[in-house]
Amino acid sequence: MIYPVLLTVLSSAGYHFMLKQTSMKGSPVLVLFWSYMLAALVCLSVLLFKDEEIKVFSVFKDKSWIPMLLALTLVGIEFGYILSYKSGGKVGQVSMITQMVSLVVMFAIGYIVMKEPITFKKGFGIASALFSFHLLSR
């Protein structure tokens, strides 16, 4: 599990650094468009190196809305970060606040929708996140 987490952490740090470096004069939508075009090429390249047969549209065979909804959420996340940074947000503050608020939201979704149990540790973690959010937003 350490390598996927390490990949996620390093990619997230690079992601926020690159978003903060995005030109204040350019269109955030155009930046996202080209970023997704290049990301699509990277994904396609990885697929071509797989040994198995590639069925590009197989994710839609179950008439699942997941790929489309995931695309909307990805654009929303990235557009929100770009706008936050363009309006003067600090890298550490914006990323920390959004992650903490997301933690609280996902905790509620886990409890209400996924029926995950509430434990003392989880409650303490949420309280800590809320307190940290309060300190960082000052």
Side-chain angles (χ1 to χ4, degrees), residues 116-128:
E116 294 176 355
I118 297 175
T119 64
F120 176 77
K121 284 183 182 180
K122 287 181 185 178
F124 184 75
I126 292 300
S128 299

Side-chain angles (χ1 to χ4, degrees), residues 11-26:
S11 296
S12 181
Y15 166 84
H16 286 282
F17 181 77
M18 292 301 130
L19 282 179
K20 184 68 173 167
Q21 301 303 313
T22 301
S23 170
M24 297 297 168
K25 297 175 186 171

